[in-house]
């Protein structure tokens, strides 16, 4: 049985103000060609279909157009889609009844019912609703456990990560009992412990402190294969040979400049054995950082570098293969006028300047632990504010009291919560 696994399309994403719909259509066209060539038995899309819970009409049109084209190119293929943390679970699942009739299954919401007993009641999860049977052309069967992003109202435990771990184990256990002997393929959208994420400028929504990390340790009765969304770097999930992230369709930040993109082609055997091959995709627009290292260049050398690395526009217009550019400059070596001149030069090249990273000159401030160094303004913006406050106290030969740190932590959590709800 052949399965194509993908995730994190983020349809509707704006990259530094640039509409990426043409890029997403380019990716979906590539994926259609892979479906046509491979003729898989199933396509699994593990969350973050859209970049936000209220996607544009154009983004939704691209999504539904793809589903229609995929069903036409491979009529026997089962498509299974789950919601990610960026998606509106209810919106994604709204057309479920219609899509089911066209071999497309969507799971965004966990189905639950309230069961009242004599002295109390409790919510019971309909695990069966997440178990979807798929069949190959040769008659081989497998079961897909389609798990959308689990939100706090579904996970009830001492901690979120423990609750997710318990949910996945219970679902797998019930599936083993209901479908003995059949391969189990789980698709989920979560932050697995040990996952390799971008150290700076990360676009994955990761909670500071790792409270969302879900451990795979000690799971002896795990599914035969797990394909995951949420982390954008294609990788094995730490310390396993049966679970992996398929990675995002496109790079979502300059921190992901070296990531590889595409989809996984997974072959599942009747006994649960699997092989995974990488179907690599070349994004329409590459990311480029100049200079590529931390070299400190004068404006004259920066100009020569831009001339050498970037092609000229033809008739003053960008072509279909333009690059997204981030320019790194050291403030003490580049004046505002010189920076403006560099930006004017870039405007004649087949590139879009997305970001100018200003490197802070002669700044080498370490955190209290001495493990992190501040190299740019972005480093300040992306770090834990508590670390900066601790350093201010340390510079004055003082130390944050436990009470002060607790008050500041509560304040920061409150600010973050209000920002997320806006």
């Amino acid at each position: 049985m052949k399965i194509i696994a993908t995730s994190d399309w983020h349809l509707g994403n704006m990259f530094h103000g640039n509409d990426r719909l043409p890029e997403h259509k380019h990716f979906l066209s590539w994926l259609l060609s892979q479906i046509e060539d491979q003729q898989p038995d199933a396509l699994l899309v593990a969350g973050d279909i859209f970049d936000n819970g209220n996607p544009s009409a154009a983004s939704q049109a691209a999504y539904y157009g793809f589903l229609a084209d995929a069903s036409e190119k491979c009529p026997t293929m089962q498509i299974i889609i789950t919601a990610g943390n960026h998606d509106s679970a209810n919106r994604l699942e709204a057309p479920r009844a219609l899509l089911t009739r066209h071999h497309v299954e969507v799971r965004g919401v966990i189905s639950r019912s309230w069961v009242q007993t004599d002295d109390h009641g409790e919510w019971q999860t309909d695990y069966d609703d997440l178990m979807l049977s798929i069949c190959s052309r040769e008659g081989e069967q497998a079961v897909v456990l389609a798990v959308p992003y689990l939100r706090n109202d579904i996970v009830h435990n001492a901690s979120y990560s423990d609750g997710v771990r318990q949910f996945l184990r219970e679902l797998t256990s019930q599936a083993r009992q209901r479908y003995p002997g059949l391969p189990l393929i789980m698709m989920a959208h979560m932050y697995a412990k040990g996952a390799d994420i971008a150290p700076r400028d990360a676009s994955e929504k990761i909670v500071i402190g790792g409270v969302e990390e879900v451990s795979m340790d000690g799971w002896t009765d795990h599914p035969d294969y797990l394909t995951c969304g949420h982390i954008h770097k294609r990788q094995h999930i730490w310390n396993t040979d049966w679970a992996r992230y398929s990675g995002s369709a496109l790079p979502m930040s300059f921190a992901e400049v070296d990531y590889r993109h595409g989809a996984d082609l997974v072959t599942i055997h009747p006994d649960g054995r699997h092989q995974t091959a990488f179907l690599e995709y070349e994004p329409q627009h590459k990311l480029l950082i100049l200079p590529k290292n931390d070299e400190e260049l004068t404006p004259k050398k920066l100009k020569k570098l831009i001339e050498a690395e970037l092609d000229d526009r033809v008739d003053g217009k960008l072509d279909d293969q333009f690059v997204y550019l981030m320019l790194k400059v050291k403030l003490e070596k580049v004046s505002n006028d010189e920076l403006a001149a560099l930006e004017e030069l870039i405007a004649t090249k087949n590139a879009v300047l997305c970001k100018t990273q200003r490197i802070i000159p002669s700044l080498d401030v370490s955190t209290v632990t001495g493990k992190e160094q501040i190299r740019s303004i972005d480093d300040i913006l992306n770090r834990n504010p508590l670390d900066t406050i601790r350093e201010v106290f340390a510079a004055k030969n003082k130390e944050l009291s436990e009470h002060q740190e607790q008050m500041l932590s509560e304040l920061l959590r409150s600010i973050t919560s209000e920002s997320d709800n806006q």
Side-chain angles (χ1 to χ4, degrees):
M1 180 177 296
K2 289 200 301 185
I3 295 169
I4 290 181
T6 177
S7 70
D8 294 272
W9 293 356
H10 289 275
L11 301 178
N13 174 253
M14 300 288 287
F15 192 74
H16 296 273
N18 299 284
D19 185 3
R20 308 189 86 179
L21 185 58
E23 293 174 75
H24 280 116
K25 288 182 176 180
H26 186 273
F27 167 77
L28 293 176
S29 177
W30 170 85
L31 186 55
L32 282 172
S33 69
Q34 299 302 311
I35 290 170
E36 190 171 25
D37 291 343
Q38 299 293 339
Q39 291 293 301
D41 300 297
L43 170 69
L44 309 183
V45 191
D48 281 357
I49 313 304
F50 297 103
D51 196 53
N52 60 72
N54 187 26
S56 67
S59 297
Q60 293 182 74
Y63 168 63
Y64 289 112
F66 168 82
L67 295 181
D69 291 341
S71 298
E72 184 178 297
K73 289 185 180 295
C74 192
T76 61
M77 178 180 68
Q78 177 74 59
I79 301 175
I80 303 176
I81 298 167
T82 55
N85 58 301
H86 280 255
D87 298 308
S88 165
N90 289 304
R91 183 188 293 272
L92 198 67
E93 197 173 289
R96 172 173 165 175
L98 175 62
L99 292 176
T100 296
R101 299 183 186 186
H102 297 275
H103 306 291
V104 179
E105 293 287 352
V106 180
R107 295 295 183 270
V109 179
I110 301 297
S111 179
R112 298 188 300 166
S113 58
W114 180 260
V115 177
Q116 185 69 46
T117 59
D118 293 338
D119 54 350
H120 69 283
E122 64 178 3
W123 287 104
Q124 289 192 356
T125 299
D126 183 4
Y127 289 104
D128 288 348
D129 187 55
L130 305 178
M131 304 177 195
L132 301 171
S133 180
I134 57 175
C135 186
S136 72
R137 296 172 183 81
E138 293 75 25
E140 297 172 347
Q141 287 187 306
V143 176
V144 174
L145 308 180
V147 185
Y149 178 73
L150 298 174
R151 301 186 184 276
N152 288 322
D153 61 330
I154 298 297
V155 176
H156 301 286
N157 207 290
S159 71
Y160 174 84
S161 57
D162 288 342
V164 173
R165 185 167 59 249
Q166 182 177 323
F167 186 99
L168 300 182
R169 281 161 170 71
E170 180 62 26
L171 172 60
T172 305
S173 176
Q174 291 199 22
R176 292 281 187 208
Q177 295 174 32
R178 182 170 177 180
Y179 298 97
L182 290 185
L184 295 185
I185 303 147
M186 179 178 283
M187 54 191 298
H189 194 91
M190 63 180 183
Y191 177 22
K193 185 176 181 179
D196 185 11
I197 65 173
R200 296 190 181 98
D201 196 26
S203 55
E204 301 103 332
K205 290 186 176 180
I206 303 300
V207 175
I208 293 174
V211 297
E212 284 190 341
E213 284 186 306
V214 179
S215 174
M216 300 286 105
D217 290 347
W219 193 359
T220 56
D221 192 31
H222 56 73
D224 296 291
Y225 190 83
L226 167 64
T227 180
C228 233
H230 191 42
I231 304 302
H232 297 161
K233 184 177 183 178
R234 181 178 182 271
Q235 61 187 284
H236 276 288
I237 290 179
W238 179 73
N239 209 28
T240 73
D241 58 2
W242 52 270
R244 68 177 307 118
Y245 286 102
S246 57
S248 60
L250 302 176
M252 302 300 295
S253 78
F254 279 98
E256 301 175 9
V257 63
D258 294 323
Y259 286 10
R260 298 172 71 189
H261 303 274
D264 286 331
L265 178 64
V266 186
T267 302
I268 302 289
H269 299 279
D271 61 1
R273 291 180 299 112
H274 65 271
Q275 287 90 37
T276 303
F278 182 35
L279 304 176
E280 188 159 13
Y281 165 69
E282 187 70 32
Q284 184 178 18
H285 304 304
K286 294 181 179 180
L287 306 188
L288 180 63
I289 300 175
L290 293 180
K292 296 178 181 179
N293 51 34
D294 290 331
E295 185 179 5
E296 300 174 8
L297 300 181
T298 63
K300 185 176 181 180
K301 289 184 177 179
L302 280 171
K303 181 180 178 181
K304 288 184 177 179
L305 182 62
I306 292 168
E307 292 281 11
E309 293 286 342
L310 299 176
D311 295 329
D312 292 330
R313 297 187 186 188
V314 178
D315 297 327
K317 297 179 180 179
L318 296 168
D319 66 21
D320 291 337
Q321 304 300 319
F322 71 80
V323 301
Y324 288 124
L325 176 67
M326 181 175 86
L327 186 66
K328 295 193 299 184
V329 300
K330 188 164 184 178
L331 291 182
E332 68 178 2
K333 290 188 177 295
V334 182
S335 69
N336 289 336
D337 288 343
E338 290 168 331
L339 183 58
L342 291 173
E343 291 175 352
E344 288 180 8
L345 173 61
I346 292 169
T348 68
K349 301 296 181 180
N350 195 37
V352 171
L353 179 60
C354 297
K355 183 178 183 179
T356 301
Q357 185 183 60
R358 294 168 170 82
I359 305 300
I360 300 173
S362 304
L363 184 61
D364 184 13
V365 181
S366 298
T367 64
V368 171
T369 59
K371 295 180 180 178
E372 182 183 358
Q373 290 190 336
I374 305 301
R375 291 283 301 157
S376 72
I377 292 174
D378 284 346
D379 291 343
I380 296 174
L381 295 176
N382 290 320
R383 75 194 305 238
N384 186 342
L386 268 179
D387 288 339
T388 302
I389 295 171
R390 290 191 192 100
E391 286 174 356
V392 172
F393 272 69
K396 295 180 178 295
N397 295 317
K398 296 181 180 180
E399 186 175 346
L400 272 177
S401 69
E402 184 176 342
H403 178 63
Q404 289 172 320
E405 187 158 335
Q406 183 178 358
M407 288 178 59
L408 286 167
S409 297
E410 290 293 335
L411 177 60
L412 290 169
R413 275 194 291 269
S414 175
I415 294 171
T416 302
S417 178
E418 289 179 5
S419 176
D420 288 343
N421 291 329
Q422 289 179 354

